[in-house]
Amino acid sequence: MDVAKRIEEYLAGPDELRQSIAGMSAAEIDAAPIPGKWSTRQIICHIADFEPVYADRMKRVIAEEKPPLLGGDPDLFAAKLAYDQRDLEEEFQLMTAVRQHTARILKTLSPEQFQRTGIHSRDGELSLATLLDRITNHIPHHIRLIREKREAMNV
């Protein structure tokens, strides 16, 4: 893994997400045009909710010996954390701040430190490299889902 490149990809995520919703109206952002799938607003809130979770997991793996890493249920977060009332600009600010903060720490580490591990409550042993890959790939995964929504609405 090219750590420096991966960290840059990690940092680019929020801007890429912002670009993926460019030109969408508030109604389009709140629409759920594909049955059983979240709206774009729900996706953005979900991403913002899990940024601090992943930052915490990565920090624990860096600082502690094989720390426990708790899982989280995205559907419970979506159901109970006021996604319909949240401000998208605040969500983007949170994502950006968390990633900048975490990237500053990650840039200080040696390649060997990316092999440190924690024990996830559902997925078992995960390395720092794996955690960074997962959170870096999180936004591109959801951008694909936003594109599906846009196509369904002809936006």
Side-chain angles (χ1 to χ4, degrees):
M1 168 171 93
D2 181 343
V3 173
K5 181 179 180 208
R6 193 49 141 174
I7 292 170
E8 291 309 313
E9 291 169 350
Y10 171 67
L11 284 168
D15 286 338
E16 292 169 1
L17 181 61
R18 188 184 292 275
Q19 291 169 11
S20 78
I21 67 164
M24 291 179 76
S25 69
E28 291 162 346
I29 285 171
D30 288 327
I34 302 171
K37 294 200 176 184
W38 289 345
S39 70
T40 297
R41 179 179 305 278
Q42 288 171 308
I43 287 173
I44 292 168
C45 291
H46 159 73
I47 293 168
D49 279 345
F50 277 83
E51 289 295 329
V53 170
Y54 267 86
D56 179 70
R57 289 173 183 167
M58 289 190 285
K59 287 177 179 182
R60 288 181 182 281
V61 168
I62 293 164
E64 301 173 12
E65 290 303 318
K66 294 197 183 284
L69 307 172
L70 295 178
D73 184 333
D75 290 320
L76 286 177
F77 278 49
K80 298 186 178 198
L81 297 179
Y83 281 13
D84 63 328
Q85 301 297 312
R86 289 170 47 180
D87 179 76
L88 292 186
E89 188 53 38
E90 290 175 358
E91 305 304 309
F92 280 109
Q93 289 172 7
L94 175 64
M95 285 179 233
T96 300
V98 168
R99 286 192 178 210
Q100 287 174 343
H101 169 83
T102 305
R104 185 173 306 278
I105 296 165
L106 295 172
K107 288 177 180 180
T108 70
L109 303 177
S110 69
E112 296 76 32
Q113 288 174 292
F114 282 86
Q115 299 313 307
R116 293 180 57 84
T117 61
I119 309 301
H120 190 275
S121 59
R122 183 183 57 243
D123 297 338
E125 191 168 13
L126 298 174
S127 70
L128 178 58
T130 298
L131 291 168
L132 178 58
D133 280 345
R134 284 185 176 189
I135 195 61
T136 300
N137 292 328
H138 193 216
I139 286 177
H141 163 75
H142 283 295
I143 287 173
R144 287 189 293 278
L145 300 178
I146 290 169
R147 284 187 191 125
E148 287 178 5
K149 291 172 196 337
R150 291 186 78 137
E151 288 173 13
M153 293 184 291
N154 295 315
V155 176

